[in-house]
Amino acid sequence: MAHLDWEYAPAPESAAVGRLRERYQMFVGGRFVDGRGDDVKTINPATEEPLASVSTADAADIDDAVRAARTAFEGPWSRLTAAQRGTYLFRIARGIAERARELAVVETLDNGKPIKESRDVDVPTASAHFFHHAGWADKLTHAGYGVSVRPLGVAGQVIPWNFPLLMAAWKIAPALAAGNTVVIKPAETTPLSILLLAEIIADADLPPGVVNVVTGAGDVGAALVNHPGIDKVAFTGSTEVGRQIQASLAGTGRKITLELGGKAANIVFDDAPVDQAVEGIVNGIFFNQGHVCCAGSRLLVQESVADEVVGKLQARIATLRVGDPMDKNTDVGAINSAGQLATIRSLTDAGDAEGAVRWTSPCPLPDRGFYFAPTVFTRVSQSMRIAREEIFGPVLSVLTFRTPDEAITKANNTPYGLSAGVWTEKGSRILGMASALRAGVVWANTFNRFDPTAAFGGYKESGFGREGGRSGLAAYLDTDDEPPAPRASDDDTVLDAVVESAIAELAGTPDNPTEAAVLSELVRRSTERRGSGSCGSAPAQPVPAVAAPRSTRVGVRKTYKLFIGGAFPRSESGRTYPATGGVGGSIRANVAQGSRKDARDAVLAARKAFGTWSTATAYNRGQVLYRIAEMLEGRREQFVDLLGGGFANERLVNAAIDRWVHYAGWTDKLAAVFGSANPVAGPYFSFSTPEPTGVVVAVAPADDPLLGLVGVLAPIITAGNTAVVLASQPAPLAAVTLAEVLATSDLPGGVVNILTGDPLEMAPHLAAHADVNALDLTGVPGPARAELERAAAGTVKRVYSPGPQDFLRTPGTARLRAFLEIKTVWHPTGAVSLAGGGGY
Ligand code: NDP
């Protein structure tokens, strides 16, 4: 048979559909206005020709935009009913659908992505996000965050250039559904589609100022996120800038979500359907030129099939059409900017220099414009830059593995944790891998699927917070059980509510001297605090011992050691200090003065225990925790005595035991309450499930040595995390006694590690520790928090930094949610599709 050489005829979309204008203005207060910054030219990366001039913002424009958003928030937007807000979102969704072709053309011209992707993925998914969130607006009380949820206020949002319209939809839709107003900044190189979206929003008659778009470069983004009038910051972009933002917002008490970079492993087992896997690998790394935070940029292929897979992959990649993004047949378009092209070149050069073997698709490239031919590196080792750093281009690094365990270790060997792929015919292996991979999204036998109902977001340095679905709403809601984080000047060591309720219960004349002493101490502290307004910046002072009735016996004075890895080591510091059990506590002992080295040992022990504890069944964890509650009950009187005796302390001990029981009962409810089955628009089964964050360092409240400690610790370990707790410095005896209970319980060693000493001496090291995933700063005085939050930004740690808390009150879910990641898993239903593209 004669050989047929198939060639596609060009099928260009018309640029005229985009109706580009010569100049674009910003959108502030419901009007298109000139910014006070210099105009910039946005160019078509496919041709390097200018597309349009765009006005940019300066600091005064940011002020104007934030003011407009505030006025809209306090005025018309908040006066609407939730259903009316939903109707506006519905109008925007329709507006996007009606102008879909124009939006797709503008997106492709400005960004360089293939028109078939803008048309089939970016624009319809953006519209779908508004539809989905339109329906949430009047159902927020059903989202699982309580019945009195409120918007946060004005959201400052910064988005990147890789999915300009889609990222705008991901940010704006949930913010508005939750009742917030927004000021959003697109990337300097891709402002056009969001300015078109602004037209759609204006046409939808949204009240002026509900959505404001300010344009410009990184300095405009920095001015926006740091503006004092912003209540919430949402950022998508590089991990580097995400870190800077987290650090610069330390101590402001502002809610932040960060969606950052990734270095996803796409794992192919030897039993995988090879042809489908090859399509999935191609889709995973060449979709959107690889400018995808969740791109499958590391291929991990089982050694026995590596040659076959790589051979078929190269043959398939050679057929990808690279070139004019406006051509409907183009598979890989232009790199978004000269700067990004230079980054890709420099990283691939590093791949050559470090000894990897480069293969480049033999495709022809256009003479003008920013293009990079699809590239595959083999013989890649884990230490190479191309295996560790985000290249953000059409470049795949291939590594091999022999066993599933090796695949998991290699896949997780990255500071990132955004996504992963698994290709295998074995259902049990899919689910096993999905749970072992530390990534926010796991695609099984598919890749790069997105849906507004399915949560998306990262573990580790890929950021925190989720976008999409029920979890995504949490980022824009204020809930009753989330005490507002204190600003740097607030005093969060005050537990006035506890004090007040204890006083209320003790009203009337107490009839023994200890009781009277406790009461007078509580009153004194409460009055002092109220008198001192919101200062209280000094660390908690040791609680003065209050005389209790004395027996004549001379007791043996004990010296307590630290509790690390299930054992009781001495502090490496060799120091101890005298301490008591609580307000009015007469029992005195010496406790270890923990040091930086002890803190490091505790993190090591917690990390070691994480594997066992996080993979224990929920039932098992519950049983272990219930048993501990029984043991606490057995020591109830001892705890009351330790705290100083009397009715108030008895009440606090009872509450602590009840609190432990409460959390023990949560272990097997977390998945039902925080997880979801996601009704995605496609032949996929998708579910989201909560997982523990990892090693959590918690500073327990100084003033509430047992209930505060339990209130902080129990939710952390309930969720499967392991903990390093810094106990109350002045009154640590309840903590060290709790350690004795834990040591004799079934809790695996290392799940809880308790350090005594000065929390403010150890906490900075722990906040900066690379192997700590999250911080709970409940017991840290306001002014000291900023420094710890800044240190935490170095490795993008989750930080829970609540305001004063009344631990006597029934706990909500905020403390549980603070240390849970949501993982979304996808699998095709029915036949595995060969279709490439990003889904939708
Ligand atoms: P950036 O993180 O620099 O940019 C993302 C957004 O933040 C843009 O709007 C940018 O403005 C803005 N910005 C830049 N600096 C600041 C700042 N200090 N404060 C607030 N906002 C700021 O990403 P790049 O575009 O420079 O890309 C660099 C790398 O980041 C890529 O190679 C890729 O690895 C990664 N990346 C990851 C993305 C993801 O989705 N996870 C998306 C984009 C990039 P402007 O662009 O106008 O300077």
Side-chain angles (χ1 to χ4, degrees), residues 158-159 161 185 188 217-218 221-222 235 237-238 260 293 340 390 392:
V158 177
I159 54 172
W161 44 263
K185 187 202 92 73
E188 187 183 17
F235 171 79
S238 60
L260 310 177
C293 45
Q340 187 59 28
E390 192 175 32
F392 227 61

Side-chain angles (χ1 to χ4, degrees), residues 22-160:
E22 270 182 23
R23 185 162 182 275
Y24 287 79
Q25 292 172 295
M26 310 190 310
F27 184 61
V28 175
R31 292 185 309 122
F32 287 92
V33 295
D34 279 337
R36 297 171 182 89
D38 296 334
D39 278 16
V40 293
K41 287 231 178 317
T42 183
I43 64 162
N44 180 347
T47 61
E48 300 176 52
E49 299 291 337
L51 286 171
S53 293
V54 181
S55 175
T56 67
D58 74 359
D61 297 314
I62 303 287
D63 281 343
D64 290 349
V66 173
R67 202 173 310 112
R70 174 70 53 199
T71 305
F73 177 70
E74 285 169 0
W77 193 237
S78 294
R79 283 200 291 271
L80 295 177
T81 65
Q84 286 170 325
R85 274 205 320 270
T87 309
Y88 279 114
L89 289 179
F90 187 65
R91 282 188 192 172
I92 300 172
R94 271 278 176 269
I96 293 173
E98 280 160 13
R99 293 175 72 174
R101 191 165 166 214
E102 180 187 353
L103 280 163
V105 167
V106 168
E107 195 73 311
T108 285
L109 290 173
D110 206 18
N111 170 279
K113 62 176 69 202
I115 186 72
K116 70 177 178 187
E117 290 179 5
S118 321
R119 183 194 64 200
D120 298 347
V121 183
D122 297 58
V123 177
T125 314
S127 172
H129 267 269
F130 279 100
F131 277 123
H132 177 73
H133 287 94
W136 268 126
D138 62 352
K139 299 170 195 68
L140 296 173
T141 53
H142 298 286
Y145 307 113
V147 290
S148 55
V149 288
R150 299 164 300 276
L152 294 165
V154 177
Q157 307 177 318
V158 177
I159 54 172

Side-chain angles (χ1 to χ4, degrees), residues 256 695 745:
I256 320 175
V695 174
S745 76

Side-chain angles (χ1 to χ4, degrees), residues 158-163 167 185-189 216-226 235-242 244-245 259-262 291-294 340 343 390-392 416 418 462:
V158 177
I159 54 172
W161 44 263
N162 55 343
F163 291 93
M167 288 301 108
K185 187 202 92 73
E188 187 183 17
T189 59
D219 56 330
V220 177
L224 174 57
V225 298
N226 288 301
F235 171 79
T236 298
S238 60
T239 295
E240 194 43 48
V241 174
Q244 284 171 26
I245 292 175
E259 202 271 271
L260 310 177
H291 301 328
V292 185
C293 45
C294 51
Q340 187 59 28
T343 304
E390 192 175 32
I391 300 175
F392 227 61
Y416 295 115
L418 192 52
S462 289

Side-chain angles (χ1 to χ4, degrees), residues 9 20 69 84 182 258 263 305 321 404 529 572 589 603 752 761:
L20 287 182
Q84 286 170 325
V182 308
L258 300 175
K263 192 74 191 173
V305 291
R321 292 172 297 278
R529 282 167 186 148
E572 176 269 349
V603 173
V752 174
E761 192 184 311

Side-chain angles (χ1 to χ4, degrees), residues 348-586:
T348 49
D349 288 349
D352 294 332
E354 289 184 311
V357 176
R358 184 197 290 237
W359 175 89
T360 303
S361 170
C363 61
L365 297 183
D367 297 333
R368 291 209 65 189
F370 311 132
Y371 291 93
F372 195 87
T375 297
V376 177
F377 278 102
T378 49
R379 307 233 178 141
V380 176
S381 67
Q382 293 188 81
S383 59
M384 292 179 183
R385 287 183 67 195
I386 53 170
R388 290 184 289 115
E389 295 179 32
E390 192 175 32
I391 300 175
F392 227 61
V395 180
L396 181 67
S397 301
V398 183
L399 297 101
T400 59
F401 66 91
R402 289 187 180 169
T403 64
D405 281 348
E406 188 187 348
I408 291 166
T409 307
K410 284 186 168 166
N412 288 339
N413 183 17
T414 164
Y416 295 115
L418 192 52
S419 65
V422 182
W423 297 83
T424 173
E425 287 283 6
K426 288 196 177 72
S428 59
R429 184 181 278 163
I430 288 171
L431 295 174
M433 292 295 291
S435 87
L437 290 164
R438 302 290 294 157
V441 184
V442 178
W443 287 290
N445 292 324
T446 184
F447 210 92
N448 269 347
R449 304 285 152 186
F450 311 99
D451 192 277
T453 65
F456 182 91
Y459 284 34
K460 304 194 282 185
E461 293 186 29
S462 289
F464 44 74
R466 292 292 178 270
E467 297 189 288
R470 198 160 63 80
S471 320
L473 287 173
Y476 291 98
L477 287 173
D478 188 8
T479 67
D480 275 345
D481 63 357
E482 289 176 301
R487 305 244 165 172
S489 60
D490 292 348
D491 178 9
D492 60 319
T493 64
V494 178
L495 291 173
D496 266 343
V498 177
V499 172
E500 271 162 22
S501 66
I503 290 171
E505 295 237 352
L506 284 166
T509 317
D511 57 6
N512 77 54
T514 309
E515 202 89 331
V518 171
L519 178 57
S520 68
E521 173 62 14
L522 290 175
V523 171
R524 185 187 68 72
R525 289 164 51 153
S526 183
T527 317
E528 200 176 273
R529 282 167 186 148
R530 266 190 227 104
S532 67
S534 64
C535 66
S537 57
Q541 295 301 311
V543 177
V546 177
R550 295 194 177 275
S551 85
T552 50
R553 180 169 183 274
V554 179
V556 177
R557 187 163 283 179
K558 211 170 158 179
T559 295
Y560 286 94
K561 294 187 257 181
L562 303 169
F563 182 52
I564 299 177
F568 292 95
R570 281 179 209 291
S571 167
E572 176 269 349
S573 72
R575 290 179 293 154
T576 60
Y577 68 101
T580 181
V583 177
S586 64

